[in-house]
mmCIF file with all atom_site columns, all heavy atoms in Angstrom:
data_model
loop_
_atom_site.group_PDB
_atom_site.id
_atom_site.type_symbol
_atom_site.label_atom_id
_atom_site.label_alt_id
_atom_site.label_comp_id
_atom_site.label_asym_id
_atom_site.label_entity_id
_atom_site.label_seq_id
_atom_site.pdbx_PDB_ins_code
_atom_site.Cartn_x
_atom_site.Cartn_y
_atom_site.Cartn_z
_atom_site.occupancy
_atom_site.B_iso_or_equiv
_atom_site.pdbx_formal_charge
_atom_site.auth_seq_id
_atom_site.auth_comp_id
_atom_site.auth_asym_id
_atom_site.auth_atom_id
_atom_site.pdbx_PDB_model_num
ATOM 1   N N   . ALA V 1 1  ? 0.838  -1.226  -0.036 1.00 91.00 ? 41 ALA V N   1
ATOM 2   C CA  . ALA V 1 1  ? -0.010 0.012   -0.054 1.00 91.00 ? 41 ALA V CA  1
ATOM 3   C C   . ALA V 1 1  ? 0.833  1.280   0.003  1.00 91.00 ? 41 ALA V C   1
ATOM 4   O O   . ALA V 1 1  ? 0.303  2.373   -0.276 1.00 91.00 ? 41 ALA V O   1
ATOM 5   C CB  . ALA V 1 1  ? -0.956 -0.032  1.270  1.00 91.00 ? 41 ALA V CB  1
ATOM 6   N N   . SER V 1 2  ? 2.208  1.163   0.307  1.00 94.00 ? 42 SER V N   1
ATOM 7   C CA  . SER V 1 2  ? 2.983  2.385   0.362  1.00 94.00 ? 42 SER V CA  1
ATOM 8   C C   . SER V 1 2  ? 3.513  2.687   -1.058 1.00 94.00 ? 42 SER V C   1
ATOM 9   O O   . SER V 1 2  ? 3.514  1.915   -1.959 1.00 94.00 ? 42 SER V O   1
ATOM 10  C CB  . SER V 1 2  ? 4.204  2.081   1.319  1.00 94.00 ? 42 SER V CB  1
ATOM 11  O OG  . SER V 1 2  ? 3.762  1.856   2.526  1.00 94.00 ? 42 SER V OG  1
ATOM 12  N N   . ASP V 1 3  ? 3.916  3.924   -1.206 1.00 96.00 ? 43 ASP V N   1
ATOM 13  C CA  . ASP V 1 3  ? 4.503  4.428   -2.482 1.00 96.00 ? 43 ASP V CA  1
ATOM 14  C C   . ASP V 1 3  ? 5.880  4.075   -2.807 1.00 96.00 ? 43 ASP V C   1
ATOM 15  O O   . ASP V 1 3  ? 6.195  3.748   -3.968 1.00 96.00 ? 43 ASP V O   1
ATOM 16  C CB  . ASP V 1 3  ? 4.233  5.945   -2.550 1.00 96.00 ? 43 ASP V CB  1
ATOM 17  C CG  . ASP V 1 3  ? 2.723  6.359   -2.324 1.00 96.00 ? 43 ASP V CG  1
ATOM 18  O OD1 . ASP V 1 3  ? 1.864  5.863   -3.113 1.00 96.00 ? 43 ASP V OD1 1
ATOM 19  O OD2 . ASP V 1 3  ? 2.557  7.151   -1.433 1.00 96.00 ? 43 ASP V OD2 1
ATOM 20  N N   . ILE V 1 4  ? 6.677  4.139   -1.851 1.00 97.00 ? 44 ILE V N   1
ATOM 21  C CA  . ILE V 1 4  ? 8.172  3.822   -1.875 1.00 97.00 ? 44 ILE V CA  1
ATOM 22  C C   . ILE V 1 4  ? 8.502  2.919   -0.766 1.00 97.00 ? 44 ILE V C   1
ATOM 23  O O   . ILE V 1 4  ? 8.081  3.145   0.409  1.00 97.00 ? 44 ILE V O   1
ATOM 24  C CB  . ILE V 1 4  ? 8.999  5.102   -1.902 1.00 97.00 ? 44 ILE V CB  1
ATOM 25  C CG1 . ILE V 1 4  ? 8.722  5.955   -3.166 1.00 97.00 ? 44 ILE V CG1 1
ATOM 26  C CG2 . ILE V 1 4  ? 10.391 4.803   -1.845 1.00 97.00 ? 44 ILE V CG2 1
ATOM 27  C CD1 . ILE V 1 4  ? 9.341  7.351   -3.061 1.00 97.00 ? 44 ILE V CD1 1
ATOM 28  N N   . VAL V 1 5  ? 9.284  1.919   -0.995 1.00 97.00 ? 45 VAL V N   1
ATOM 29  C CA  . VAL V 1 5  ? 9.640  0.946   0.066  1.00 97.00 ? 45 VAL V CA  1
ATOM 30  C C   . VAL V 1 5  ? 11.257 0.861   0.121  1.00 97.00 ? 45 VAL V C   1
ATOM 31  O O   . VAL V 1 5  ? 11.771 0.394   -0.936 1.00 97.00 ? 45 VAL V O   1
ATOM 32  C CB  . VAL V 1 5  ? 9.120  -0.358  -0.058 1.00 97.00 ? 45 VAL V CB  1
ATOM 33  C CG1 . VAL V 1 5  ? 9.467  -1.280  1.067  1.00 97.00 ? 45 VAL V CG1 1
ATOM 34  C CG2 . VAL V 1 5  ? 7.563  -0.313  -0.039 1.00 97.00 ? 45 VAL V CG2 1
ATOM 35  N N   . VAL V 1 6  ? 11.880 1.269   1.213  1.00 98.00 ? 46 VAL V N   1
ATOM 36  C CA  . VAL V 1 6  ? 13.267 1.093   1.372  1.00 98.00 ? 46 VAL V CA  1
ATOM 37  C C   . VAL V 1 6  ? 13.546 0.053   2.414  1.00 98.00 ? 46 VAL V C   1
ATOM 38  O O   . VAL V 1 6  ? 12.949 0.222   3.504  1.00 98.00 ? 46 VAL V O   1
ATOM 39  C CB  . VAL V 1 6  ? 13.942 2.431   1.682  1.00 98.00 ? 46 VAL V CB  1
ATOM 40  C CG1 . VAL V 1 6  ? 15.461 2.187   1.745  1.00 98.00 ? 46 VAL V CG1 1
ATOM 41  C CG2 . VAL V 1 6  ? 13.684 3.450   0.636  1.00 98.00 ? 46 VAL V CG2 1
ATOM 42  N N   . ILE V 1 7  ? 14.329 -0.924  2.221  1.00 97.00 ? 47 ILE V N   1
ATOM 43  C CA  . ILE V 1 7  ? 14.527 -2.039  3.123  1.00 97.00 ? 47 ILE V CA  1
ATOM 44  C C   . ILE V 1 7  ? 16.015 -2.238  3.358  1.00 97.00 ? 47 ILE V C   1
ATOM 45  O O   . ILE V 1 7  ? 16.823 -2.011  2.482  1.00 97.00 ? 47 ILE V O   1
ATOM 46  C CB  . ILE V 1 7  ? 13.812 -3.224  2.542  1.00 97.00 ? 47 ILE V CB  1
ATOM 47  C CG1 . ILE V 1 7  ? 13.789 -4.463  3.507  1.00 97.00 ? 47 ILE V CG1 1
ATOM 48  C CG2 . ILE V 1 7  ? 14.466 -3.742  1.247  1.00 97.00 ? 47 ILE V CG2 1
ATOM 49  C CD1 . ILE V 1 7  ? 12.807 -5.600  2.990  1.00 97.00 ? 47 ILE V CD1 1
ATOM 50  N N   . GLU V 1 8  ? 16.328 -2.833  4.527  1.00 97.00 ? 48 GLU V N   1
ATOM 51  C CA  . GLU V 1 8  ? 17.664 -3.196  4.752  1.00 97.00 ? 48 GLU V CA  1
ATOM 52  C C   . GLU V 1 8  ? 17.924 -4.569  4.089  1.00 97.00 ? 48 GLU V C   1
ATOM 53  O O   . GLU V 1 8  ? 17.101 -5.413  3.965  1.00 97.00 ? 48 GLU V O   1
ATOM 54  C CB  . GLU V 1 8  ? 18.014 -3.356  6.153  1.00 97.00 ? 48 GLU V CB  1
ATOM 55  C CG  . GLU V 1 8  ? 17.265 -4.406  7.034  1.00 97.00 ? 48 GLU V CG  1
ATOM 56  C CD  . GLU V 1 8  ? 17.597 -4.415  8.446  1.00 97.00 ? 48 GLU V CD  1
ATOM 57  O OE1 . GLU V 1 8  ? 18.520 -3.756  8.877  1.00 97.00 ? 48 GLU V OE1 1
ATOM 58  O OE2 . GLU V 1 8  ? 17.069 -5.372  9.272  1.00 97.00 ? 48 GLU V OE2 1
ATOM 59  N N   . ASP V 1 9  ? 19.241 -4.792  3.644  1.00 97.00 ? 49 ASP V N   1
ATOM 60  C CA  . ASP V 1 9  ? 19.600 -6.000  2.876  1.00 97.00 ? 49 ASP V CA  1
ATOM 61  C C   . ASP V 1 9  ? 19.135 -7.303  3.574  1.00 97.00 ? 49 ASP V C   1
ATOM 62  O O   . ASP V 1 9  ? 18.762 -8.169  2.844  1.00 97.00 ? 49 ASP V O   1
ATOM 63  C CB  . ASP V 1 9  ? 21.093 -5.983  2.559  1.00 97.00 ? 49 ASP V CB  1
ATOM 64  C CG  . ASP V 1 9  ? 21.537 -4.933  1.579  1.00 97.00 ? 49 ASP V CG  1
ATOM 65  O OD1 . ASP V 1 9  ? 20.671 -4.307  0.941  1.00 97.00 ? 49 ASP V OD1 1
ATOM 66  O OD2 . ASP V 1 9  ? 22.760 -4.522  1.610  1.00 97.00 ? 49 ASP V OD2 1
ATOM 67  N N   . ASP V 1 10 ? 19.322 -7.393  4.816  1.00 94.00 ? 50 ASP V N   1
ATOM 68  C CA  . ASP V 1 10 ? 19.086 -8.689  5.393  1.00 94.00 ? 50 ASP V CA  1
ATOM 69  C C   . ASP V 1 10 ? 17.776 -8.782  6.205  1.00 94.00 ? 50 ASP V C   1
ATOM 70  O O   . ASP V 1 10 ? 17.569 -9.586  7.084  1.00 94.00 ? 50 ASP V O   1
ATOM 71  C CB  . ASP V 1 10 ? 20.246 -9.069  6.344  1.00 94.00 ? 50 ASP V CB  1
ATOM 72  C CG  . ASP V 1 10 ? 20.384 -8.124  7.569  1.00 94.00 ? 50 ASP V CG  1
ATOM 73  O OD1 . ASP V 1 10 ? 19.858 -7.063  7.529  1.00 94.00 ? 50 ASP V OD1 1
ATOM 74  O OD2 . ASP V 1 10 ? 21.159 -8.421  8.472  1.00 94.00 ? 50 ASP V OD2 1
ATOM 75  N N   . ALA V 1 11 ? 16.778 -7.902  5.888  1.00 95.00 ? 51 ALA V N   1
ATOM 76  C CA  . ALA V 1 11 ? 15.499 -8.002  6.427  1.00 95.00 ? 51 ALA V CA  1
ATOM 77  C C   . ALA V 1 11 ? 14.850 -9.294  5.946  1.00 95.00 ? 51 ALA V C   1
ATOM 78  O O   . ALA V 1 11 ? 15.313 -9.922  5.024  1.00 95.00 ? 51 ALA V O   1
ATOM 79  C CB  . ALA V 1 11 ? 14.697 -6.746  5.993  1.00 95.00 ? 51 ALA V CB  1
ATOM 80  N N   . ARG V 1 12 ? 13.722 -9.677  6.584  1.00 93.00 ? 52 ARG V N   1
ATOM 81  C CA  . ARG V 1 12 ? 12.978 -10.859 6.132  1.00 93.00 ? 52 ARG V CA  1
ATOM 82  C C   . ARG V 1 12 ? 11.640 -10.461 5.861  1.00 93.00 ? 52 ARG V C   1
ATOM 83  O O   . ARG V 1 12 ? 10.904 -9.936  6.765  1.00 93.00 ? 52 ARG V O   1
ATOM 84  C CB  . ARG V 1 12 ? 13.085 -11.897 7.308  1.00 93.00 ? 52 ARG V CB  1
ATOM 85  C CG  . ARG V 1 12 ? 14.447 -12.491 7.514  1.00 93.00 ? 52 ARG V CG  1
ATOM 86  C CD  . ARG V 1 12 ? 14.910 -13.376 6.266  1.00 93.00 ? 52 ARG V CD  1
ATOM 87  N NE  . ARG V 1 12 ? 16.175 -13.939 6.477  1.00 93.00 ? 52 ARG V NE  1
ATOM 88  C CZ  . ARG V 1 12 ? 17.397 -13.453 6.119  1.00 93.00 ? 52 ARG V CZ  1
ATOM 89  N NH1 . ARG V 1 12 ? 17.353 -12.207 5.492  1.00 93.00 ? 52 ARG V NH1 1
ATOM 90  N NH2 . ARG V 1 12 ? 18.484 -14.029 6.332  1.00 93.00 ? 52 ARG V NH2 1
ATOM 91  N N   . ILE V 1 13 ? 11.150 -10.785 4.634  1.00 92.00 ? 53 ILE V N   1
ATOM 92  C CA  . ILE V 1 13 ? 9.804  -10.625 4.140  1.00 92.00 ? 53 ILE V CA  1
ATOM 93  C C   . ILE V 1 13 ? 9.126  -11.927 3.783  1.00 92.00 ? 53 ILE V C   1
ATOM 94  O O   . ILE V 1 13 ? 9.723  -12.682 3.089  1.00 92.00 ? 53 ILE V O   1
ATOM 95  C CB  . ILE V 1 13 ? 9.831  -9.687  2.862  1.00 92.00 ? 53 ILE V CB  1
ATOM 96  C CG1 . ILE V 1 13 ? 10.772 -8.446  3.096  1.00 92.00 ? 53 ILE V CG1 1
ATOM 97  C CG2 . ILE V 1 13 ? 8.467  -9.270  2.442  1.00 92.00 ? 53 ILE V CG2 1
ATOM 98  C CD1 . ILE V 1 13 ? 11.079 -7.841  1.779  1.00 92.00 ? 53 ILE V CD1 1
ATOM 99  N N   . GLY V 1 14 ? 7.892  -12.043 4.296  1.00 90.00 ? 54 GLY V N   1
ATOM 100 C CA  . GLY V 1 14 ? 7.183  -13.265 3.933  1.00 90.00 ? 54 GLY V CA  1
ATOM 101 C C   . GLY V 1 14 ? 5.791  -13.354 4.487  1.00 90.00 ? 54 GLY V C   1
ATOM 102 O O   . GLY V 1 14 ? 5.369  -12.364 5.189  1.00 90.00 ? 54 GLY V O   1
ATOM 103 N N   . SER V 1 15 ? 5.063  -14.358 4.136  1.00 89.00 ? 55 SER V N   1
ATOM 104 C CA  . SER V 1 15 ? 3.698  -14.461 4.503  1.00 89.00 ? 55 SER V CA  1
ATOM 105 C C   . SER V 1 15 ? 3.593  -15.940 5.165  1.00 89.00 ? 55 SER V C   1
ATOM 106 O O   . SER V 1 15 ? 2.779  -16.807 4.464  1.00 89.00 ? 55 SER V O   1
ATOM 107 C CB  . SER V 1 15 ? 2.808  -14.312 3.356  1.00 89.00 ? 55 SER V CB  1
ATOM 108 O OG  . SER V 1 15 ? 1.416  -14.284 3.740  1.00 89.00 ? 55 SER V OG  1
ATOM 109 N N   . PRO V 1 16 ? 4.138  -16.221 6.224  1.00 90.00 ? 56 PRO V N   1
ATOM 110 C CA  . PRO V 1 16 ? 4.057  -17.614 6.818  1.00 90.00 ? 56 PRO V CA  1
ATOM 111 C C   . PRO V 1 16 ? 2.617  -18.039 7.128  1.00 90.00 ? 56 PRO V C   1
ATOM 112 O O   . PRO V 1 16 ? 2.321  -19.193 7.137  1.00 90.00 ? 56 PRO V O   1
ATOM 113 C CB  . PRO V 1 16 ? 4.894  -17.536 8.059  1.00 90.00 ? 56 PRO V CB  1
ATOM 114 C CG  . PRO V 1 16 ? 4.897  -16.104 8.464  1.00 90.00 ? 56 PRO V CG  1
ATOM 115 C CD  . PRO V 1 16 ? 4.956  -15.334 7.123  1.00 90.00 ? 56 PRO V CD  1
ATOM 116 N N   . GLU V 1 17 ? 1.655  -17.086 7.294  1.00 88.00 ? 57 GLU V N   1
ATOM 117 C CA  . GLU V 1 17 ? 0.342  -17.455 7.582  1.00 88.00 ? 57 GLU V CA  1
ATOM 118 C C   . GLU V 1 17 ? -0.311 -18.236 6.428  1.00 88.00 ? 57 GLU V C   1
ATOM 119 O O   . GLU V 1 17 ? -1.348 -18.912 6.522  1.00 88.00 ? 57 GLU V O   1
ATOM 120 C CB  . GLU V 1 17 ? -0.525 -16.305 8.045  1.00 88.00 ? 57 GLU V CB  1
ATOM 121 C CG  . GLU V 1 17 ? -0.911 -15.359 6.919  1.00 88.00 ? 57 GLU V CG  1
ATOM 122 C CD  . GLU V 1 17 ? 0.139  -14.348 6.615  1.00 88.00 ? 57 GLU V CD  1
ATOM 123 O OE1 . GLU V 1 17 ? 1.278  -14.449 7.027  1.00 88.00 ? 57 GLU V OE1 1
ATOM 124 O OE2 . GLU V 1 17 ? -0.139 -13.342 5.969  1.00 88.00 ? 57 GLU V OE2 1
ATOM 125 N N   . ALA V 1 18 ? 0.224  -18.111 5.210  1.00 91.00 ? 58 ALA V N   1
ATOM 126 C CA  . ALA V 1 18 ? -0.264 -18.708 4.016  1.00 91.00 ? 58 ALA V CA  1
ATOM 127 C C   . ALA V 1 18 ? -0.164 -20.208 4.203  1.00 91.00 ? 58 ALA V C   1
ATOM 128 O O   . ALA V 1 18 ? -0.902 -20.937 3.445  1.00 91.00 ? 58 ALA V O   1
ATOM 129 C CB  . ALA V 1 18 ? 0.418  -18.277 2.799  1.00 91.00 ? 58 ALA V CB  1
ATOM 130 N N   . ARG V 1 19 ? 0.669  -20.753 5.127  1.00 93.00 ? 59 ARG V N   1
ATOM 131 C CA  . ARG V 1 19 ? 0.787  -22.179 5.277  1.00 93.00 ? 59 ARG V CA  1
ATOM 132 C C   . ARG V 1 19 ? -0.368 -22.772 6.003  1.00 93.00 ? 59 ARG V C   1
ATOM 133 O O   . ARG V 1 19 ? -0.614 -24.056 5.947  1.00 93.00 ? 59 ARG V O   1
ATOM 134 C CB  . ARG V 1 19 ? 2.076  -22.454 6.161  1.00 93.00 ? 59 ARG V CB  1
ATOM 135 C CG  . ARG V 1 19 ? 3.397  -22.044 5.487  1.00 93.00 ? 59 ARG V CG  1
ATOM 136 C CD  . ARG V 1 19 ? 4.483  -22.080 6.456  1.00 93.00 ? 59 ARG V CD  1
ATOM 137 N NE  . ARG V 1 19 ? 5.728  -21.778 5.668  1.00 93.00 ? 59 ARG V NE  1
ATOM 138 C CZ  . ARG V 1 19 ? 6.876  -21.487 6.345  1.00 93.00 ? 59 ARG V CZ  1
ATOM 139 N NH1 . ARG V 1 19 ? 6.907  -21.405 7.727  1.00 93.00 ? 59 ARG V NH1 1
ATOM 140 N NH2 . ARG V 1 19 ? 7.997  -21.286 5.630  1.00 93.00 ? 59 ARG V NH2 1
ATOM 141 N N   . ALA V 1 20 ? -1.239 -21.959 6.663  1.00 90.00 ? 60 ALA V N   1
ATOM 142 C CA  . ALA V 1 20 ? -2.350 -22.505 7.347  1.00 90.00 ? 60 ALA V CA  1
ATOM 143 C C   . ALA V 1 20 ? -3.562 -21.740 7.521  1.00 90.00 ? 60 ALA V C   1
ATOM 144 O O   . ALA V 1 20 ? -4.604 -22.182 8.015  1.00 90.00 ? 60 ALA V O   1
ATOM 145 C CB  . ALA V 1 20 ? -1.904 -22.894 8.806  1.00 90.00 ? 60 ALA V CB  1
ATOM 146 N N   . LEU V 1 21 ? -3.535 -20.463 6.925  1.00 83.00 ? 61 LEU V N   1
ATOM 147 C CA  . LEU V 1 21 ? -4.663 -19.578 7.338  1.00 83.00 ? 61 LEU V CA  1
ATOM 148 C C   . LEU V 1 21 ? -5.218 -18.786 6.128  1.00 83.00 ? 61 LEU V C   1
ATOM 149 O O   . LEU V 1 21 ? -6.389 -18.737 5.882  1.00 83.00 ? 61 LEU V O   1
ATOM 150 C CB  . LEU V 1 21 ? -4.176 -18.626 8.365  1.00 83.00 ? 61 LEU V CB  1
ATOM 151 C CG  . LEU V 1 21 ? -5.221 -17.634 8.915  1.00 83.00 ? 61 LEU V CG  1
ATOM 152 C CD1 . LEU V 1 21 ? -6.450 -18.427 9.554  1.00 83.00 ? 61 LEU V CD1 1
ATOM 153 C CD2 . LEU V 1 21 ? -4.665 -16.776 9.942  1.00 83.00 ? 61 LEU V CD2 1
ATOM 154 N N   . GLY V 1 22 ? -4.362 -18.276 5.250  1.00 82.00 ? 62 GLY V N   1
ATOM 155 C CA  . GLY V 1 22 ? -4.781 -17.479 4.169  1.00 82.00 ? 62 GLY V CA  1
ATOM 156 C C   . GLY V 1 22 ? -3.714 -16.601 3.652  1.00 82.00 ? 62 GLY V C   1
ATOM 157 O O   . GLY V 1 22 ? -2.549 -16.872 3.892  1.00 82.00 ? 62 GLY V O   1
ATOM 158 N N   . PHE V 1 23 ? -4.076 -15.510 3.012  1.00 81.00 ? 63 PHE V N   1
ATOM 159 C CA  . PHE V 1 23 ? -3.000 -14.604 2.475  1.00 81.00 ? 63 PHE V CA  1
ATOM 160 C C   . PHE V 1 23 ? -3.515 -13.123 2.745  1.00 81.00 ? 63 PHE V C   1
ATOM 161 O O   . PHE V 1 23 ? -4.485 -12.858 3.247  1.00 81.00 ? 63 PHE V O   1
ATOM 162 C CB  . PHE V 1 23 ? -2.864 -14.859 1.029  1.00 81.00 ? 63 PHE V CB  1
ATOM 163 C CG  . PHE V 1 23 ? -4.052 -15.040 0.190  1.00 81.00 ? 63 PHE V CG  1
ATOM 164 C CD1 . PHE V 1 23 ? -4.791 -13.896 -0.144 1.00 81.00 ? 63 PHE V CD1 1
ATOM 165 C CD2 . PHE V 1 23 ? -4.572 -16.240 -0.199 1.00 81.00 ? 63 PHE V CD2 1
ATOM 166 C CE1 . PHE V 1 23 ? -5.903 -13.996 -0.920 1.00 81.00 ? 63 PHE V CE1 1
ATOM 167 C CE2 . PHE V 1 23 ? -5.759 -16.354 -0.862 1.00 81.00 ? 63 PHE V CE2 1
ATOM 168 C CZ  . PHE V 1 23 ? -6.484 -15.234 -1.287 1.00 81.00 ? 63 PHE V CZ  1
ATOM 169 N N   . GLU V 1 24 ? -2.620 -12.201 2.330  1.00 77.00 ? 64 GLU V N   1
ATOM 170 C CA  . GLU V 1 24 ? -2.782 -10.849 2.599  1.00 77.00 ? 64 GLU V CA  1
ATOM 171 C C   . GLU V 1 24 ? -3.873 -10.148 1.630  1.00 77.00 ? 64 GLU V C   1
ATOM 172 O O   . GLU V 1 24 ? -3.859 -10.659 0.418  1.00 77.00 ? 64 GLU V O   1
ATOM 173 C CB  . GLU V 1 24 ? -1.492 -10.017 2.527  1.00 77.00 ? 64 GLU V CB  1
ATOM 174 C CG  . GLU V 1 24 ? -0.561 -10.467 3.553  1.00 77.00 ? 64 GLU V CG  1
ATOM 175 C CD  . GLU V 1 24 ? -1.142 -10.616 4.995  1.00 77.00 ? 64 GLU V CD  1
ATOM 176 O OE1 . GLU V 1 24 ? -1.822 -9.582  5.327  1.00 77.00 ? 64 GLU V OE1 1
ATOM 177 O OE2 . GLU V 1 24 ? -1.053 -11.503 5.707  1.00 77.00 ? 64 GLU V OE2 1
#
């Protein structure tokens, strides 16, 4: 939903709830 995203190199992005619940 944001316009610009700046992230650190070793951050972790994911959707583990997709394994048992649903998605975003």
